[in-house]
Amino acid sequence: MREIIDPHTHVLPKMDDGSRGTVMSIEMLKRMKAMGITVVCGTSHYYRRDESIREFCERREAALDRLSEVLTDDLPRVIPGSEVAFFHGISEEEDLEMLCYEGTRTLLLEMPFTDWTSSNVDEVRSLVLDRRLNLILAHPERFLFSKSNKEYLRRLAEMNIYFQVNGENFTSFFTRKEGLEILKMTPRRLLGSDAHNTEKRPPNLDAARSYVSRKMGAEELERIDEAACRLILGT
Ligand SMILES: [Fe+2]
């Protein structure tokens, strides 16, 4: 049976503005399991201004250890990763590979919530072309507030970069059409929950998966799952 992966969550306890402790992490994992998810990536926020990559990885290991103590076999497997906030010089950062999903060269990148510059986009290109990373762009739909970002996204969509659209787009009648549009910007697409907690930003991939399956077909959902397996599990 194929693994169903959630590539973007803040399930690791007390790492960032996500899960506030192991009890909440377990509740999130239970809900994800009920949605058919078998592998959950703990992609805690990494901010260059706050800590070094090594410090972040040490904290993450401790969080994963705490979670492992209470994680039971019936729950989804948790894989460490990170959601790396873009920073100037990222393409030349020596330790960047440590932020990839464990055991891969796949990086989840969060672009700045500003108007992007051409030098920002050049660095993103360099991550793919020079650094040879598999790049996943976290929630591109959240950057569409600017016309120039939209144009940059169109250009990035032509490269070997995956667009990971958030599940929350598909939980509301008012945003799901837009979610679908951005999914259609590229053939390289993924769905992630970006779940932070059990309250305002809960696990939500069930709505996204059924909407995409309805509108794009069950085969397309399968392609999305296959891509996630390839990028994150290497299978
Ligand atoms: Fe996130």
Side-chain angles (χ1 to χ4, degrees):
M1 198 194 80
R2 172 171 308 118
E3 305 272 23
I4 309 290
I5 305 180
D6 187 340
H8 183 171
T9 82
H10 298 269
V11 76
L12 293 179
K14 290 187 180 168
M15 274 298 287
D16 53 13
D17 57 341
S19 166
R20 294 192 293 278
T22 50
V23 173
M24 184 176 275
S25 300
I26 294 293
E27 178 57 31
M28 290 167 79
L29 289 165
K30 280 183 182 165
R31 292 196 201 174
M32 290 165 180
K33 187 199 170 179
M35 295 174 187
I37 312 293
T38 59
V39 175
V40 172
C41 302
T43 49
S44 309
H45 287 289
Y46 174 73
Y47 297 110
R48 175 59 153 187
R49 59 170 189 262
D50 292 346
E51 61 191 335
S52 73
I53 293 176
R54 283 171 195 270
E55 283 164 340
F56 169 85
C57 289
E58 271 170 35
R59 266 195 325 119
R60 188 181 59 183
E61 203 178 313
L64 197 61
D65 282 350
R66 286 198 304 279
L67 183 57
S68 300
E69 278 172 26
V70 288
L71 194 63
T72 45
D73 285 348
D74 57 319
L75 289 174
R77 188 148 60 95
V78 178
I79 290 181
S82 59
E83 179 180 11
V84 184
F86 179 90
F87 57 91
H88 180 64
I90 187 172
S91 58
E92 286 174 6
E93 165 55 54
E94 251 180 52
D95 291 332
L96 192 62
E97 275 79 0
M98 292 172 73
L99 294 173
C100 289
Y101 294 89
E102 190 173 62
T104 73
R105 293 189 59 75
T106 303
L107 192 79
L108 179 65
L109 179 70
E110 181 182 50
M111 290 301 283
F113 289 94
T114 53
D115 280 341
W116 304 341
T117 64
S118 60
S119 108
N120 294 154
V121 177
D122 284 347
E123 276 215 70
V124 174
R125 280 201 195 95
S126 174
L127 288 172
V128 179
L129 299 175
D130 304 323
R131 199 73 183 245
R132 296 270 163 209
L133 290 174
N134 304 315
L135 213 58
I136 302 177
L137 220 56
H139 43 63
E141 71 277 13
R142 290 183 65 188
F143 307 104
L144 293 176
F145 52 82
S146 127
K147 221 175 160 187
S148 57
N149 287 3
K150 210 181 257 183
E151 183 48 39
Y152 282 132
L153 271 174
R154 251 183 233 118
R155 286 188 225 164
L156 291 176
E158 287 165 14
M159 296 187 62
N160 189 20
I161 293 177
Y162 280 78
F163 282 15
Q164 176 264 304
V165 175
N166 274 1
E168 65 197 353
N169 293 287
F170 304 97
T171 55
S172 152
F173 174 80
F174 300 101
T175 51
R176 58 194 194 183
K177 234 177 140 184
E178 197 180 272
L180 200 63
E181 259 169 48
I182 192 141
L183 271 179
K184 286 181 175 171
M185 275 180 80
T186 170
R188 292 166 289 277
R189 32 181 104 99
L190 296 171
L191 291 169
S193 70
D194 201 4
H196 276 64
N197 49 49
T198 49
E199 300 127 3
K200 286 199 168 144
R201 300 182 73 181
N204 55 23
L205 273 189
D206 51 349
R209 292 177 63 79
S210 62
Y211 187 72
V212 167
S213 176
R214 241 181 19 250
K215 294 291 173 183
M216 299 177 86
E219 304 76 29
E220 181 51 39
L221 192 61
E222 236 172 79
R223 267 196 292 277
I224 288 174
D225 288 333
E226 267 171 23
C229 285
R230 218 167 39 243
L231 290 162
I232 294 166
L233 302 176
T235 56

